[in-house]
Amino acid sequence: MFIDLVNDADQIAIVNFANSAKVQKALTTVGGNEDILKRAVDKIGASGGTNVGEGLLTGYNELDSTAANPAHKKVAILLTDGEHNTGTHPSNVVPYYKAKGWPVYTIGFTTKADVEILKDISEKTGGEYHTSLESDTLQNIYRSIGDVVKGLGSVSVQKGKISKGETIYGSLPVDSSIMSFNLVLTWPGSDLDLVLYYPDGNKVICNQSSPSGTDDPDISYIVQDTYEIYKVQDPQQGTWKYDVIGVEVTGQEEDYTLALSAATTIKLGAHTDKLDYDMGEGVRITANFTEDGVGIPNAQVTANVTLPDLSQDTQVLSDSGGGMYEGTFYATQSGHYSVLIEAQRGADVIRQREIEFDVSKKVVPPPVANFTADKTRGVAPLSVQFTDISTGGAPTVWEWDFGDGNTATVQNPTYTHTYTVAGTYTVKLTITNAGGSNTSTRADYITVTEPTPAATSSDSSGDDSSVSTGSALAAGGGASFSFAGLPVSTITIESEADISRALIIAERVRSLTGSITPPEPETYQYLAITPYRLEDADFDEATISFHVPVGYLSAMGKETTDVALMRYVDGQWVRLKTTLIKEEGGRAYYEAATPGFSVFAIVLEKDGATVAAPVSTPAPVAAVEEEEEKDGEEPDVVEPEVSLTSTPTPAAASAATPTPKEAPIVYAPIGLVVVGLLAFALRRRG
């Protein structure tokens, strides 16, 4: 069937592979050689092993031979009914196709096919994977692949059942954008007939003695045992009509598929976000409706899903802008799914496209709700960014309750123009997936205060920032950096180098970036400490002094020794040597030594800190003004928010504070390469 669908000028090679591979028919121009190519396909037999890699390599050599027309696009179609079990592994051949930009379309025929390898081949080369467990579905797969490699757009796909003697009538709207079309009728094994009518109602006269198979030189007609094809060039605009006739039917009814594809400027593309899903998982369906490559807005787009038990469900896809339409379908059965996407603009333009995906029996685990906010207190009006950090199974539904009568159903809402009234608000997040629902409630999470003259001039996030000047160490060189408003109070660096111009920025990190995973212990606070004009070679070790509220530790069921400082370096969290210095004023004070600076985490870890040996005269602790912390309240862990800057000022140094330059943002270009068509078929059947 694929041979009948391509153009006369196209070239096809037939490769057969078992223990080894051989060229069944070398690269040949289709026109005038259709019967020769079909006989070559029919001679392919099944015996021995399955050497997929050598089959691919042999096909590659045919496409790369001097017989190949350099102006043609090149693709491969790989059909196998078994697992690769001998010879060259396909992964060693795929790079050749990828380097040339030649896609490989793979078909797993029967359940014994090596699905994982076939999917990997198609994904890495830019092709598509298809499953065919029956010979009748194989016809439709070849038709679909033929449309893609020839650049034809799917206009409509109709499936149904017909009984003996029955005639099914239908119409085909052909708009002005269609320059040519193929109408293909397929069925498994009965005798059906397809009759086509012009828009004026006249019948297309079939004539087997004519080279085109009809009396119209612009229409070719091809008939075989299980399919009929009309190829129409320069069609009349309007509504064409057709009859599907059940001449002889095996059994009570026969299944059939009638597909219209066209060379058109209006095209519909569609795909799912992946090919395989777990049962209950959300399947993201995306359609792209364009005219001359420009998105068509405000169209009506639906996804008609056929489930494994043949029941159907319809999803309306939402307009996402730019001709993109999206929706989510939740898979409730394991097995193979087919989806018919239909897009309609106005009354006369309709396009349809079929896609497929598979669902395994694996059950989606229930989600575990959790969230953070970039600030939890401030002056009204207070704008808060909430972030979902839930774990467990991926949520598909989010329900936020912000405590002031307002709600949201997006994953990470930016809550603006709210919390205008002073008070304390409880925030709740409920998440749901196919595995169940879970709710996280944070009582009295957001505190909003009335604005005052003093507060008006300060940061509404709650006095989280301050700038202080460090001082040179009395002996041994180096400097001490002091901070306010953070758990870190000082950073002391002993150095023989001149670090008088060094600058250290410390900031509270309220949510980790996607590349950094949280440490295993419970985290009290994340901090980012960044030095400027200070190299690692300038010092061997720095001492970070920090503190944690004793009331918080008690509320968490921890002792003051159950605290440690960890540093994220080289993709992992490293625990630093941490010492408990003292308890004073409701706080436990600690010191930790670090060989460098990056992201840090104050964590709750059993016996994470050792107790400092007592001294007769304790060193004085400089008092720093700091935001009052509420005993027993776990601090928030959210996005980086406020930078705290400290510079050392040795006695001889200038009092001026230098300003660090902003880091440049680099944008990487993205390239798109489109490559072309020369079809060959790789097939092993059993």
Side-chain angles (χ1 to χ4, degrees):
M1 178 176 170
F2 184 83
I3 295 170
D4 286 327
L5 286 172
V6 301
N7 296 332
D8 289 347
D10 289 330
Q11 297 172 291
I12 291 180
I14 309 296
V15 173
N16 182 23
F17 59 94
N19 287 325
S20 60
K22 69 175 182 178
V23 178
Q24 198 79 23
K25 179 62 182 174
L27 202 61
T28 304
T29 301
V30 173
N33 295 304
E34 292 90 345
D35 290 341
I36 295 174
L37 289 167
K38 290 177 182 178
R39 285 196 296 271
V41 172
D42 291 338
K43 289 180 181 179
I44 294 176
S47 62
T50 305
N51 193 341
V52 176
E54 189 171 339
L56 275 175
L57 184 59
T58 304
Y60 174 87
N61 292 333
E62 282 296 302
L63 289 177
D64 203 37
S65 69
T66 56
N69 189 329
H72 285 185
K73 297 179 180 179
K74 297 177 175 66
V75 305
I77 300 174
L78 170 63
L79 170 67
T80 180
D81 62 356
E83 296 183 356
H84 172 80
N85 53 26
T86 186
T88 304
H89 195 276
S91 61
N92 296 324
V93 183
V94 164
Y96 299 143
Y97 283 89
K98 188 175 181 180
K100 292 282 190 178
W102 298 345
V104 181
Y105 294 83
T106 59
I107 304 172
F109 190 55
T110 79
T111 57
K112 296 181 180 180
D114 202 329
V115 174
E116 295 304 319
I117 287 181
L118 295 179
K119 288 182 178 179
D120 185 67
I121 293 171
S122 62
E123 289 176 2
K124 288 182 177 177
T125 60
E128 295 177 353
Y129 168 76
H130 296 269
T131 298
S132 176
L133 302 182
E134 304 291 341
S135 58
D136 56 310
T137 60
L138 188 59
Q139 292 182 126
N140 291 324
I141 290 172
Y142 276 128
R143 171 187 54 76
S144 176
I145 295 175
D147 288 347
V148 172
V149 299
K150 295 298 296 178
L152 300 181
S154 177
V155 178
S156 68
V157 180
Q158 301 172 22
K159 296 183 178 182
K161 296 179 181 292
I162 190 170
S163 57
K164 180 179 179 179
E166 182 183 6
T167 299
I168 296 175
Y169 307 96
S171 59
L172 304 168
V174 175
D175 56 72
S176 59
S177 73
I178 294 178
M179 296 164 282
S180 64
F181 70 79
N182 292 347
L183 183 64
V184 182
L185 175 67
T186 59
W187 62 91
S190 297
D191 183 9
L192 305 187
D193 194 14
L194 176 62
V195 180
L196 185 63
Y197 299 89
Y198 296 98
D200 61 9
N202 290 321
K203 179 181 177 180
V204 174
I205 303 301
C206 296
N207 182 356
Q208 293 301 316
S209 64
S210 168
S212 68
T214 73
D215 287 344
D216 188 334
D218 288 330
I219 301 179
S220 297
Y221 172 69
I222 301 168
V223 57
Q224 294 292 329
D225 291 342
T226 57
Y227 62 87
E228 294 186 18
I229 302 172
Y230 284 91
K231 297 181 178 180
V232 182
Q233 301 293 323
D234 299 319
Q236 300 174 21
Q237 182 180 348
T239 302
W240 293 62
K241 295 184 178 180
Y242 65 84
D243 298 339
V244 177
I245 303 171
V247 180
E248 291 290 339
V249 173
T250 302
Q252 296 294 319
E253 292 180 315
E254 179 70 287
D255 294 317
Y256 72 89
T257 299
L258 184 67
L260 175 66
S261 56
T264 174
T265 57
I266 300 177
K267 294 184 177 181
L268 174 66
H271 66 273
T272 55
D273 53 340
K274 55 184 181 178
L275 295 176
D276 298 290
Y277 297 86
D278 296 329
M279 193 162 61
E281 189 176 359
V283 179
R284 192 68 177 170
I285 300 172
T286 302
N288 186 20
F289 195 26
T290 61
E291 181 172 15
D292 287 323
V294 179
I296 299 175
N298 304 319
Q300 296 178 337
V301 183
T302 57
N304 302 296
V305 183
T306 300
L307 283 69
D309 65 358
L310 301 183
S311 62
Q312 294 191 338
D313 190 7
T314 300
Q315 301 283 319
V316 177
L317 304 188
S318 301
D319 190 342
S320 300
M324 303 297 292
Y325 297 82
E326 297 178 312
T328 301
F329 169 79
Y330 297 100
T332 57
Q333 301 176 16
S334 61
H336 187 70
Y337 288 70
S338 63
V339 185
L340 179 64
I341 311 294
E342 179 175 287
Q344 181 170 353
R345 183 184 71 177
D348 60 339
V349 176
I350 298 175
R351 296 290 184 269
Q352 293 179 334
R353 175 93 182 211
E354 271 192 310
I355 57 176
E356 302 172 323
F357 62 89
D358 293 303
V359 176
S360 70
K361 293 183 179 180
K362 181 180 177 182
V363 178
V364 176
V368 179
N370 196 8
F371 64 92
T372 62
D374 65 340
K375 60 182 71 71
T376 58
R377 59 174 61 85
V379 178
L382 182 65
S383 173
V384 180
Q385 168 75 59
F386 292 93
T387 303
D388 169 37
I389 57 170
S390 300
T391 56
T396 54
V397 177
W398 292 262
E399 297 175 277
W400 294 86
D401 183 340
F402 299 105
D404 61 351
N406 291 286
T407 60
T409 56
V410 295
Q411 182 175 4
N412 296 326
T414 301
Y415 203 45
T416 57
H417 307 297
T418 52
Y419 293 132
T420 57
V421 179
T424 302
Y425 300 92
T426 294
V427 181
K428 180 170 65 175
L429 170 63
T430 300
I431 55 174
T432 304
N433 67 12
S437 296
N438 189 251
T439 299
S440 175
T441 301
R442 292 182 179 264
D444 301 334
Y445 190 49
I446 304 296
T447 300
V448 182
T449 58
E450 294 286 357
T452 64
T456 302
S457 62
S458 67
D459 188 341
S460 65
S461 63
D463 295 336
D464 239 1
S465 67
S466 69
V467 177
S468 62
T469 301
S471 59
L473 296 178
S480 177
F481 301 80
S482 298
F483 301 91
L486 286 175
V488 171
S489 55
T490 60
I491 297 176
T492 303
I493 300 176
E494 294 187 8
S495 174
E496 297 300 326
D498 180 9
I499 61 172
S500 60
R501 298 183 65 250
L503 177 77
I504 293 181
I505 296 178
E507 56 189 345
R508 190 190 310 271
V509 177
R510 296 191 176 274
S511 66
L512 296 174
T513 62
S515 61
I516 301 179
T517 57
E520 290 187 4
E522 181 82 21
T523 301
Y524 165 67
Q525 194 113 117
Y526 293 106
L527 299 161
I529 301 177
T530 308
Y532 293 89
R533 296 189 291 276
L534 179 66
E535 304 297 330
D536 287 347
D538 292 337
F539 66 98
D540 294 327
E541 200 170 68
T543 300
I544 299 176
S545 300
F546 64 97
H547 52 79
V548 178
V550 175
Y552 166 72
L553 295 174
S554 298
M556 299 298 291
K558 301 294 183 182
E559 303 293 334
T560 54
T561 54
D562 297 338
V563 172
L565 187 65
M566 301 186 77
R567 180 188 174 209
Y568 190 79
V569 60
D570 295 333
Q572 61 183 344
W573 289 99
V574 177
R575 190 171 74 84
L576 304 176
K577 182 179 179 181
T578 306
T579 304
L580 171 63
I581 303 301
K582 65 176 181 178
E583 295 181 36
E584 183 176 276
R587 292 174 179 161
Y589 289 85
Y590 304 87
E591 288 183 355
T594 177
F597 298 109
S598 56
V599 176
F600 295 82
I602 302 173
V603 300
L604 306 183
E605 185 176 63
K606 179 68 173 175
D607 297 327
T610 58
V611 180
V615 294
S616 57
T617 305
V621 179
V624 290
E625 184 178 350
E626 186 170 12
E627 176 187 14
E628 181 178 350
E629 298 181 66
K630 184 177 179 181
D631 286 351
E633 178 179 320
E634 182 179 356
D636 315 317
V637 181
V638 271
E639 295 182 345
E641 179 186 315
V642 183
S643 296
L644 307 179
T645 306
S646 175
T647 58
T649 310
S654 168
T657 302
T659 302
K661 294 182 180 180
E662 292 184 358
I665 300 176
V666 181
Y667 294 92
I670 297 175
L672 175 65
V673 179
V674 179
V675 294
L677 160 72
L678 170 60
F680 85 85
L682 293 175
R683 182 178 178 191
R684 180 181 182 279
R685 70 180 184 182

